[in-house]
Amino acid sequence: MCIRDRYEALLYLSRFKFTSEHLKYIQAVMPYAEPEFFAYLEAMDMGSVKIHAVREGKFIFPKEPALTLEGPLGAVQIIESTIINLTSYPTLVCTNAVRMRVAAGRKTKMIEFGLRRGQGPVGATMGAKYAIMGTFEGTANTLLGFLSKGEIPITGTMAHSYVISFTNESDLGELRKLKGIDLVDRANHYRNELNWTHTNYSELLAFLNYASCNVEGYLALVDSYNTIESGVKNFLITALVLAEVGVKPVGIRLDSGDLSELSKAARKIFTEVGERYNKPYFKDFTIMASNEIHEDLLYDLQKRGHEIDNFGIGTNLITCLKQPALGMVYKLVSINGTPRIKLSEDIEKVTLPGLKSIYRVYLEDAKKPSFDVIALRDEETPKEGKAVEVVSKEKKKLSFTPEHVELLNPLAFDGKVLFKPLGVKEGRELIFDQLDNFEPAIIQKENPTAYPVYYSVKLYALLDDLIKRAKS
C-alpha cells in the first residue's frame, strides 16, 4: 500500500473549527443537548492534537499504522470519518496506479483518462491527482493541470465524435492549407501512390484538419472505421503530407480490438512506409492504447508482446474497479496511558495495543529494505550495528544486526503541520526508488513473497498479555 494524502488530512486539522453556522445547524438537529455541549464544540480545535504519520509515497504493509492521533478523546473521535476519507481514497488510487505501473513497466508512459468515469467532479479531479502521485506522467483533466499551476502535465487526443463529424472537403475551410501547401491535394497524391484509395475519406479529412490546427501535437485516434486498413493508413498519408512542411506527427491511439496485434501491425506499416519514403523516424511514431485498460490486461500484453508506448487508463484506475474501497480502520489503542486492544474471531482484525513506531530495517544494503519492526514508542530506538530482537507472526524470536534503520512514522502534526508536501517529481522518484530496491518477489503479482513485518519483544509481550487477560 502506498500512503497518500496525509498532508491534506493534516491541513484539514490545522484549520478545524466549528463556525456559528455549524453550531446553529447542530442545535437544530440536537435541540435536547445541553448548552455546555455547544460551548464545548465552539471551543474545540486541534491545537492539542499530535499525529505521527507515515511519509507520503512510502510503502507500508498490514498491521502498520498509517497515522496515530493523540489528543482529547472527543476531539480525535469527532474527526474519525473525515481523516479516513482524506487518506483512504488517495492511498487506494495511488496504490492502484503503482500496481499498474509495475504491470506496464518503467519505460511505458501512463496517462490518466478517468474524468468521465470518476465519482463526480471532485472524485475525478482528486483521483487524477493521486494517479499522478502514483507515477502516472500526465492527465486529460485540464482542471487539474490548472489547479497544479502547470506542475502536472495535461495531454489528450481527438474524440470519435470529432472524426466522424467530417463529411466533405469543404469542412476544412481555410485549414485546408498549411504553410502554402494544399493538404487535401497532397494527401490524395500519396493515397493514390500507395494504392490506399479504400481508406475512409471523411476520416482522412478529419485527420488533415486536426493536424492543421494541432501542428505540434498531432496524435490520431484510428479506430473510428477500421483501425489498420483505414485509420493507420490515413494517419500515415497525413504524416507524409506534414513531412513536406517539416512537421513530425506524434502518433496514433488505439481504442478497441486486440491491442497487442494491432500495435504490432501498426508498427510494421510505420516501418515499411518510412523505408519507402526515406523517413526513418516513421518507425518510432508513438502508439498509444486505451479502452478499459486494467492491471491484468497490462500483464497479459507484457506476456504476449506489444508495440505500445503509452497507455491512457480511465475507468479501472479512477474507480479502482478491482477493489473499489480501501478497508482502513480507526481504532483506539491507548486511553490515559493504558494500552487498549480490540479482539476478534478473525486474527487479522485483532488490533495492536499502545502507541507505536514503525522502523524499516536494512541489513546488508542501506538501500534495500529487509523487514519492518513495529515497536512501542517508549522503547529504545533500534540502532545501526546493534542487535535487534524481534518476534515473528509465527511467534518465533529472531535477532538481527541492522546496517541502517529508518523511522517510518515521525511526528508530522503538533497543533500545526510540521512538513511540506512532496512535489510531483520528488514523489515519483520516491516510489521508483522503492520499486527498484524492494525485492522483486515482494512486488510481483503472481505468488508474491510476503514482506516481513515483525513485532518488538516488548510489543508482542503486551499483545499476548492483553489477549490472555481479555479471554480470562
Side-chain angles (χ1 to χ4, degrees):
M1 187 169 75
C2 184
I3 285 295
R4 297 286 183 185
D5 185 357
R6 65 169 188 163
Y7 180 74
E8 293 295 333
L10 302 188
L11 195 61
Y12 159 77
L13 293 185
S14 69
R15 299 169 177 172
F16 182 92
K17 194 69 179 173
F18 284 104
T19 67
S20 58
E21 290 184 353
H22 295 155
L23 294 172
K24 286 179 182 178
Y25 170 74
I26 298 171
Q27 286 174 324
V29 297
M30 298 179 64
Y32 49 83
E34 297 175 349
E36 290 80 5
F37 173 68
F38 300 108
Y40 166 73
L41 294 181
E42 185 177 17
M44 180 182 290
D45 61 28
M46 298 298 149
S48 59
V49 172
K50 293 184 179 182
I51 300 179
H52 287 72
V54 174
R55 182 185 178 192
E56 291 173 314
K58 279 289 187 179
F59 297 171
I60 63 170
F61 300 89
K63 292 292 188 181
E64 297 182 334
L67 295 93
T68 302
L69 291 83
E70 303 169 59
L73 184 59
V76 295
Q77 281 183 322
I78 208 165
I79 58 177
E80 173 179 344
S81 296
T82 303
I83 291 295
I84 291 179
N85 178 273
L86 289 171
T87 54
S88 64
Y89 180 63
T91 299
L92 177 66
V93 177
C94 184
T95 301
N96 194 28
V98 173
R99 291 178 64 95
M100 290 182 174
R101 166 63 65 192
V102 172
R106 177 73 65 89
K107 295 180 180 179
T108 306
K109 192 173 183 179
M110 311 283 276
I111 306 298
E112 185 278 322
F113 268 16
L115 178 58
R116 292 179 296 171
R117 306 289 170 77
Q119 290 93 336
V122 175
T125 301
M126 298 310 291
K129 172 187 172 183
Y130 306 138
I132 298 297
M133 291 176 171
T135 75
F136 273 53
E137 279 89 354
T139 178
N141 189 324
T142 308
L143 177 60
L144 179 58
F146 169 77
L147 293 174
S148 74
K149 298 181 179 179
E151 185 182 16
I152 295 175
I154 59 170
T155 186
T157 66
M158 63 179 68
H160 291 107
S161 57
Y162 177 87
V163 177
I164 65 178
S165 68
F166 285 78
T167 56
N168 55 64
E169 294 177 7
S170 64
D171 290 335
L172 275 73
E174 59 185 36
L175 289 175
R176 176 175 179 141
K177 289 190 175 182
L178 179 65
K179 296 185 179 181
I181 288 181
D182 188 306
L183 300 178
V184 176
D185 287 349
R186 297 308 298 156
N188 282 322
H189 165 76
Y190 288 115
R191 193 168 182 247
N192 290 320
E193 190 170 81
L194 289 162
N195 196 28
W196 286 352
T197 54
H198 60 279
T199 66
N200 185 286
Y201 193 58
S202 65
E203 179 184 56
L204 176 59
L205 296 175
F207 287 2
L208 291 170
N209 188 82
Y210 190 86
S212 182
C213 58
N214 291 276
V215 176
E216 300 300 326
Y218 171 46
L219 192 147
L221 178 59
V222 295
D223 74 325
S224 295
Y225 299 102
N226 182 294
T227 298
I228 299 299
E229 291 304 316
S230 184
V232 170
K233 291 181 176 180
N234 277 334
F235 165 75
L236 284 168
I237 291 169
T238 310
L240 288 167
V241 175
L242 292 176
E244 294 185 6
V245 294
V247 174
K248 294 181 180 180
V250 176
I252 64 170
R253 174 161 72 97
L254 307 172
D255 194 47
S256 59
D258 186 326
L259 299 177
S260 172
E261 294 304 316
L262 288 173
S263 68
K264 293 174 186 176
R267 186 73 69 196
K268 182 174 182 291
I269 299 175
F270 290 170
T271 303
E272 291 171 350
V273 173
E275 290 175 350
R276 174 171 176 174
Y277 288 93
N278 193 29
K279 307 291 182 188
Y281 64 88
F282 274 35
K283 72 179 186 302
D284 298 319
F285 282 141
T286 295
I287 298 177
M288 185 178 195
S290 49
N291 186 37
E292 299 300 319
I293 305 294
H294 53 81
E295 183 184 355
D296 292 338
L297 176 59
L298 291 169
Y299 277 110
D300 181 65
L301 288 169
Q302 291 283 65
K303 183 178 180 180
R304 293 174 59 200
H306 64 83
E307 290 292 330
I308 299 166
D309 303 294
N310 301 354
F311 285 106
I313 309 180
T315 303
N316 291 284
L317 171 66
I318 204 75
T319 67
C320 300
L321 200 58
K322 193 172 184 178
Q323 182 181 324
L326 185 64
M328 294 187 85
V329 295
Y330 191 93
K331 299 298 180 184
L332 181 71
V333 295
S334 180
I335 183 76
N336 295 325
T338 302
R340 307 300 293 163
I341 187 171
K342 176 191 175 296
L343 298 182
S344 172
E345 298 298 324
D346 183 350
I347 191 64
E348 291 301 318
K349 292 186 177 182
V350 174
T351 60
L352 297 179
L355 300 176
K356 296 170 289 294
S357 294
I358 314 168
Y359 299 99
R360 184 146 292 162
V361 176
Y362 304 75
L363 292 180
E364 298 177 358
D365 188 325
K367 288 188 175 181
K368 295 187 178 297
S370 301
F371 57 86
D372 288 357
V373 178
I374 306 176
L376 293 171
R377 197 183 299 162
D378 60 5
E379 293 187 62
E380 182 181 356
T381 302
K383 292 182 173 59
E384 291 86 350
K386 185 177 180 181
V388 176
E389 288 191 346
V390 296
V391 181
S392 71
K393 292 180 181 178
E394 295 76 31
K395 304 181 181 180
K396 293 182 179 179
K397 282 192 175 182
L398 306 166
S399 180
F400 301 97
T401 302
E403 171 74 18
H404 176 63
V405 179
E406 176 187 10
L407 175 64
L408 292 186
N409 60 335
L411 183 65
F413 184 90
D414 189 358
K416 62 181 180 179
V417 182
L418 300 179
F419 66 95
K420 293 183 179 180
L422 286 178
V424 172
K425 182 180 179 181
E426 293 84 359
R428 285 170 51 80
E429 289 175 349
L430 174 60
I431 290 174
F432 281 132
D433 180 69
Q434 292 173 98
L435 291 176
D436 286 339
N437 287 297
F438 272 93
E439 287 295 331
I442 293 169
I443 296 170
Q444 68 189 22
K445 179 174 182 288
E446 298 295 334
N447 302 313
T449 300
Y451 178 74
V453 177
Y454 300 132
Y455 303 148
S456 70
V457 173
K458 187 174 179 180
L459 173 60
Y460 183 79
L462 175 63
L463 175 65
D464 187 55
D465 178 61
L466 291 180
I467 290 175
K468 288 178 179 176
R469 284 163 53 188
K471 288 183 177 180
S472 64

